[in-house]
C-alpha cells in the first residue's frame, strides 16, 4: 500500500479527548496526528489507530 496516510473516522474524532487536558483534539492530515492545543501535544496515528498515550505524544510549540 503506497498511501501511508490513514483516515480518521470523524465520529471517532468527536469522541476522543486528550488524556492529559481532557480537551478537544484536531486532526492534522499532513502529519497524521491528533493535536491537543491545550496540552501542546500531538498524538500519532499508526495504521489508522490513534495512539492516545502521553508517553507516545510529541510536544508541540505553537
Amino acid at each position: 500500500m503506497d498511501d501511508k496516510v490513514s483516515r480518521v473516522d470523524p465520529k471517532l474524532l468527536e469522541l476522543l479527548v486528550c488524556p492529559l487536558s481532557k480537551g478537544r483534539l484536531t486532526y492534522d492530515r499532513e502529519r497524521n496526528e491528533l493535536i491537543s492545543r491545550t496540552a501542546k501535544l500531538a498524538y500519532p496515528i499508526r495504521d489508522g489507530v490513534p495512539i492516545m498515550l502521553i508517553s507516545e505524544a510529541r510536544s508541540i510549540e505553537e
Side-chain angles (χ1 to χ4, degrees), residues 9-51:
D9 184 341
K11 291 177 187 173
L12 178 62
L13 186 56
E14 288 175 17
L15 296 174
L16 290 176
V17 295
C18 173
L20 182 64
S21 71
K22 308 299 186 236
R24 290 193 71 151
L25 298 167
T26 56
Y27 177 52
D28 182 338
R29 186 169 294 170
E30 280 185 31
R31 291 183 174 241
N32 202 35
E33 297 174 324
L34 294 177
I35 307 296
S36 171
R37 298 202 189 289
T38 306
K40 294 188 165 110
L41 293 174
Y43 297 94
I45 300 171
R46 297 185 188 126
D47 299 321
V49 178
I51 309 300

